[in-house]
Amino acid sequence: MRKSLIILLAFTCTMVFAQNEAAWKAIEKPLNFYIANDLGRNGYYDQKPVARTMGKMAENIDIECVVAPGDVHHFEGVRSTSDPLWMTNFELIYDHPELMLPWYAIAGNHEYRGNTQAVIDYSRVSARWNMPYFYYTKVLESDDITVRLVMLDTSPLLDKYRKDTEDYPDAGKRDIDRQLVWLDSVLNVSKEDWVIVVGHHPIYADTEKNETERTDMQKRVDTILRRHKNVDLYVCGHIHNFQHIRRSGADYDYVVNTSGSLTRPVKKIEGTQFCSSVSGYSLVTADKKELSLHLIDKDGKIVYSLKRSK
């Protein structure tokens, strides 16, 4: 009986992927990459199923890299580059051969509860992990298509973390004015086909988390982004659900990417175009005329697609 059940489950999983493969191939563009965040649960909840689906999709679509907007490690971050959590949260979970890709990461609030420098230093340990500094920019290019990633360090931008020196000892040490000047300067010179700003914390979102998180982001980040007409998306994590929001006066879209493990309920707010509490990740596809962000659930179903065109 047990053997029959295992065979049945394997058959069901194969059928799900088989049904999705044609849909996946249909959305492929010259430049494709994943966004995955709020992952680190030692494989529990939906982390392993999501990782398996990411690998299976990458067998069918040419994936350039994975963008990881924070909280790869729950709950207290990591203590060093040799912390076992690097294995149980990352290396041994995303072990599919097609996920041996560059991962461009930033720190989330949970990384700030541990050794934040170790999150940078792990770039010298892992062939996949790329985090040159707490904030940085990276240009992806394929077949003459260019996407600029502007990777922000958002935890120090929130006063609640800066003031909590016991749980977040490094947050108050960062020069936030320097980061914001840098953000403005990068956007001033960005000439790529598409520009995506990535942070861990949302600017607008439905959440039970302290409202000051959003107001700090609105005051410090949103005011800069709105000055630049070349920004297409602001993508974040932190809230553990999917949200696509549009707000008056902003030419770009706000996207909350869901958790790759544990999710939370969500409801519509002002400007909500779509929301869902399913677990999963996002797939970004781009050519010269269109940038698409596809929200993917743990089984590989495309639950929503956001498209920007020129």
Side-chain angles (χ1 to χ4, degrees), residues 65-115:
C65 64
V66 181
V67 175
D71 282 5
V72 174
H73 300 290
H74 287 82
F75 291 89
E76 302 297 329
V78 290
R79 294 293 173 256
S80 69
T81 58
S82 59
D83 193 311
L85 288 177
W86 285 109
M87 293 293 112
T88 59
N89 279 338
F90 178 57
E91 301 286 3
L92 298 179
I93 304 298
Y94 305 95
D95 60 350
H96 191 287
E98 297 298 333
L99 296 181
M100 298 299 126
L101 302 164
W103 286 59
Y104 297 106
I106 51 175
N109 54 293
H110 284 282
E111 277 85 9
Y112 261 92
R113 294 176 72 94
N115 183 341

Side-chain angles (χ1 to χ4, degrees), residues 270-303:
E270 179 186 349
T272 299
Q273 308 297 304
F274 175 81
C275 61
S276 172
S277 60
V278 299
S279 61
Y281 58 100
S282 289
L283 169 70
V284 178
T285 65
D287 59 25
K288 285 288 187 183
K289 295 184 177 180
E290 186 175 81
L291 176 75
S292 299
L293 186 141
H294 306 282
L295 310 185
I296 315 292
D297 73 9
K298 68 177 181 178
D299 297 318
K301 179 183 176 183
I302 304 165
V303 298

Side-chain angles (χ1 to χ4, degrees), residues 148 184-192 228 230:
R148 179 177 289 275
D184 195 41
S185 67
V186 169
L187 296 178
N188 268 330
V189 300
S190 297
K191 304 297 183 185
E192 289 71 29
H228 296 275
N230 54 350

Side-chain angles (χ1 to χ4, degrees), residues 18-282:
Q19 291 171 1
N20 287 332
E21 286 172 8
W24 295 343
K25 200 65 182 175
I27 60 176
E28 184 178 21
K29 290 185 182 296
L31 178 57
N32 314 278
F33 60 92
Y34 289 149
I35 302 176
N37 50 264
D38 297 277
L39 307 172
R41 300 280 174 166
N42 292 299
Y44 283 87
Y45 300 96
D46 287 336
Q47 191 181 14
K48 286 183 179 178
V50 170
R52 183 169 60 248
T53 300
M54 290 171 65
K56 192 67 179 179
M57 177 180 277
E59 293 177 11
N60 295 269
I61 294 178
D62 185 15
I63 301 297
E64 186 83 11
C65 64
V66 181
V67 175
D71 282 5
V72 174
H73 300 290
H74 287 82
F75 291 89
E76 302 297 329
V78 290
R79 294 293 173 256
S80 69
T81 58
S82 59
D83 193 311
L85 288 177
W86 285 109
M87 293 293 112
T88 59
N89 279 338
F90 178 57
E91 301 286 3
L92 298 179
I93 304 298
Y94 305 95
D95 60 350
H96 191 287
E98 297 298 333
L99 296 181
M100 298 299 126
L101 302 164
W103 286 59
Y104 297 106
I106 51 175
N109 54 293
H110 284 282
E111 277 85 9
Y112 261 92
R113 294 176 72 94
N115 183 341
T116 53
Q117 185 61 43
V119 185
I120 293 176
D121 293 344
Y122 195 68
S123 302
R124 298 197 295 268
V125 176
S126 171
R128 292 191 286 176
W129 190 261
N130 290 267
M131 188 174 162
Y133 190 58
F134 294 102
Y135 54 90
Y136 59 97
T137 185
K138 172 69 179 178
V139 176
L140 307 179
E141 184 171 6
S142 180
D143 292 347
D144 199 35
I145 313 301
T146 55
V147 175
R148 179 177 289 275
L149 302 172
V150 184
M151 309 289 284
L152 299 183
D153 185 25
T154 58
S155 293
L157 301 178
L158 308 186
D159 290 341
K160 62 175 284 188
Y161 297 129
R162 297 181 67 81
K163 294 175 182 177
D164 188 349
T165 57
E166 181 176 353
D167 289 334
Y168 305 94
D170 289 345
K173 299 175 183 178
R174 307 285 179 244
D175 186 339
I176 62 174
D177 291 332
R178 180 181 178 184
Q179 181 180 181
L180 296 176
V181 169
W182 170 86
L183 170 61
D184 195 41
S185 67
V186 169
L187 296 178
N188 268 330
V189 300
S190 297
K191 304 297 183 185
E192 289 71 29
D193 297 314
W194 310 98
V195 176
I196 301 175
V197 180
V198 180
H200 181 66
H201 295 85
I203 296 174
Y204 294 101
D206 168 59
T207 174
E208 295 181 355
K209 294 180 183 292
N210 194 306
E211 179 65 19
T212 62
E213 292 189 10
R214 267 86 62 217
T215 55
D216 285 347
M217 288 293 291
Q218 290 160 22
K219 176 179 64 177
R220 291 175 174 147
V221 176
D222 199 38
T223 53
I224 296 174
L225 302 189
R226 289 186 183 222
R227 293 203 299 262
H228 296 275
K229 302 305 180 183
N230 54 350
V231 178
D232 293 287
L233 301 173
Y234 176 75
V235 181
C236 67
H238 191 51
I239 310 300
H240 293 226
N241 47 52
F242 280 132
Q243 299 184 53
H244 171 210
I245 295 168
R246 287 188 175 138
R247 296 294 290 235
S248 175
D251 295 329
Y252 61 97
D253 292 273
Y254 305 88
V255 177
V256 178
N257 191 46
T258 194
S259 168
S261 54
L262 175 69
T263 63
R264 299 189 181 111
V266 63
K267 64 181 183 298
K268 292 183 177 181
I269 61 169
E270 179 186 349
T272 299
Q273 308 297 304
F274 175 81
C275 61
S276 172
S277 60
V278 299
S279 61
Y281 58 100
S282 289

